Amino acid sequence: MTFEPARTAPADPQDPHTGTAAGPETTGITVPSFGWTGVAIALHRLQQQPTASIVVVRQADHLPLVVDVETNAYWWDTPLTAFPAEPVDIDVVVEAKDPAVEASRPPGTDLDALLWLIGTNSFLGELAWWLQRDDRYKLVRWPNFTMLTHTPEQMRMTAMLGYTFLPVGELANASESDPAEARRLVNAFSLMRLLRSESPEPAAVAAAGSSSASSSSADPDHVRVAPQPRRGGLFSRLRDRLGL
């Protein structure tokens, strides 16, 4: 997996909404630019450490995208129906808010639909860097799918996350989904702040590691196969209950 090098803020940034007036100085946060992954990282950082800042995304053939995590709003002339899944020459910069610019800016658009697209089109189908593979995830509230472009597969996985805590691997297995699609879904819900997480108990992790090591040492040619849900088992009953 290769990424483009980090890009720095332009020396003389322009107003992110109009593209004409001079903007505020950057906060000094430089984000690696490799598609929407850099945008996701910048937004997550501001979600965890709220500051009076905005994320400005500049890319070829598009006017700047401005995201304000604090107000859960964004400004962009590109409609989400024309969302570029693979943006070209993208720069991600975190800038301090300019009170004069903020006062003159019109009301923004609700952020959830944009976060959904950014989350499902970042990290190249791998789990977001701030998430843990062995953690279990569950929805805290149901997403507004009337605003989100989604697939039946995503609906199935969402129904399961709304019902119980699941690690990403088990979510893919239980819903008979591509593991990469399960990771994309969890990335998006995490960015939309719709998930709760539970970490496995240390004893359970140690026991699993010990069991794996013991099996490997007893039979070096043995390859562990992930257990499949049995007919009539927990996940089969869950799918029946959810009508999936």
Side-chain angles (χ1 to χ4, degrees), residues 215-235:
S215 298
S216 298
S217 60
D219 183 0
D221 295 325
H222 175 70
V223 178
R224 294 187 63 203
V225 178
Q228 301 296 314
R230 295 178 299 173
R231 188 174 184 82
L234 170 61
F235 296 124

Side-chain angles (χ1 to χ4, degrees), residues 152-169:
E153 181 182 37
Q154 290 168 335
M155 283 289 290
R156 289 199 306 272
M157 291 189 287
T158 301
M160 291 187 169
L161 287 175
Y163 182 76
T164 189
F165 280 93
L166 287 172
V168 179

Side-chain angles (χ1 to χ4, degrees), residues 4-213:
E4 298 176 15
R7 297 177 185 268
T8 57
D12 184 19
Q14 294 181 326
D15 175 88
H17 184 64
T18 65
T20 56
E25 295 297 324
T26 67
T27 62
I29 299 176
T30 301
V31 178
S33 177
F34 33 93
W36 292 108
T37 298
V39 183
I41 292 171
L43 294 175
H44 177 71
R45 285 178 177 174
L46 287 185
Q47 288 173 347
Q48 302 307 303
Q49 299 176 346
T51 60
S53 303
I54 54 176
V55 175
V56 182
V57 183
R58 297 178 176 88
Q59 57 182 301
D61 301 322
H62 291 269
L63 290 177
L65 162 65
V66 178
V67 181
D68 187 343
V69 171
E70 186 178 19
T71 62
N72 198 54
Y74 76 92
W75 294 261
W76 201 19
D77 287 348
T78 300
L80 295 189
T81 52
F83 181 85
E86 298 180 358
V88 179
D89 294 333
I90 189 169
D91 285 301
V92 187
V93 180
V94 179
E95 297 182 356
K97 289 184 182 180
D98 183 329
V101 173
E102 296 302 312
S104 64
R105 185 174 286 137
T109 304
D110 184 84
L111 197 50
D112 276 4
L114 177 64
L115 293 179
W116 167 260
L117 291 173
I118 293 173
T120 54
N121 286 280
S122 57
F123 294 98
L124 304 178
E126 297 300 324
L127 203 60
W129 294 350
W130 59 84
L131 299 175
Q132 300 299 316
R133 181 186 61 185
D134 295 328
D135 281 0
R136 301 184 301 162
Y137 300 97
K138 187 177 187 293
L139 284 175
V140 296
R141 64 176 174 86
W142 190 263
N144 184 0
F145 272 123
T146 61
M147 298 173 54
L148 311 178
T149 302
H150 60 279
T151 65
E153 181 182 37
Q154 290 168 335
M155 283 289 290
R156 289 199 306 272
M157 291 189 287
T158 301
M160 291 187 169
L161 287 175
Y163 182 76
T164 189
F165 280 93
L166 287 172
V168 179
E170 289 186 24
L171 172 64
N173 191 34
S175 61
E176 300 177 351
S177 301
D178 185 326
E181 291 307 309
R183 293 190 289 267
R184 292 180 189 275
L185 182 86
V186 170
N187 289 348
F189 285 160
S190 174
L191 202 57
M192 295 165 72
R193 292 182 278 190
L194 295 182
L195 291 181
R196 285 192 297 165
S197 65
E198 286 186 350
S199 298
E201 294 293 335
V205 174
S210 174
S211 175
S212 175

